[in-house]
Structure formats: structure tokens, C-alpha cells
Amino acid sequence: MCGIMAEYDTVQNKIKNGYIFKDHLDKAIELKPQDPMSYYLMGRWCYAVAQLSWIERKVAATLFGEPPNATLEDALKNFQKVEEIQPGYSKPNYVFLAKCYRDLGQRDKARKMCQAASSMNTSSKEDEEAQKDLDLLCPALGL
């Protein structure tokens, strides 16, 4: 719910809910460390935090004393953990792996993840959204 609400909320509430979401994910991973969904969601959280603008970080620091902290490497580790637990887990996970590799300058690995995602069926709304990202990502990587 925090993630869905964030799409329509103020920056202040997005940041506040982001902290809540992260706490819930930490607890979920602690309680069920072999659940790939928790790592996928943690990867998404880390990726989103790594993409925060300077102004969003300043707002978070002003309101909460410290902005949320995560890197692309943190996101990548979580998406890789998903694959370690359950290889071929989901099309969206492959797309986010590709995005991380692209953003980290590892284009060959990004292409490989795009190809893996492209080979998967689209069977859910989340898969459809991942396919839209893939349709933009693949050509940018020369596929």
C-alpha cells in the first residue's frame, strides 16, 4: 500500500511512507529470509532511493533529520538475491537487474538481463509494466 500511495502523494508523505515501507521489508526478510518477493521489493525500494533527486534528499533531511540511504549496488544485491533464491522469478526482476547494470555501466550484463526478460511471458499487470520498460530499455542498449 505504501508503494501504491506514493504515486499520488506529496514528497513529504512519500519519504515518510518510504521509511515505513523499509521497516516492514526489514522485518519481512528477518521473519522469512527465503522469500524472493521481499528481496524484490527491497530492491525496488533501494533503486527508488538511489534515484532520489537532490531536492528530495534535502526535503527528507529537513523533515526527518536524515534522508533514506541506498545505492544502486544495494538494489542490485537484492535483485540478485531474488535470482539466487528462485531463478527466473519474474520479468520485472530481470528488468530491474537490467536497469541496475545499465546505470552501473555494465551494458553487457544489462543486455543479458533484457534478453532474459524478453524470453518470459507477460501474464500479469506487473509483467505488462515491465514489458513497457523493456521496450524502452532494449533499444537503448542496442538490442
Side-chain angles (χ1 to χ4, degrees), residues 67-82:
N69 187 23
T71 64
L72 288 172
E73 290 84 359
D74 296 330
L76 180 61
K77 286 177 189 171
N78 280 285
F79 296 128
Q80 288 171 329
K81 182 71 174 177
V82 171

Side-chain angles (χ1 to χ4, degrees), residues 121-141:
N121 292 329
T122 300
S123 57
S124 69
K125 184 175 178 171
E126 190 173 42
D127 289 344
E128 290 173 12
E129 292 299 316
Q131 186 61 50
K132 289 177 187 175
D133 284 346
L134 199 57
D135 291 342
L136 297 173
L137 188 57
C138 289
L141 292 169

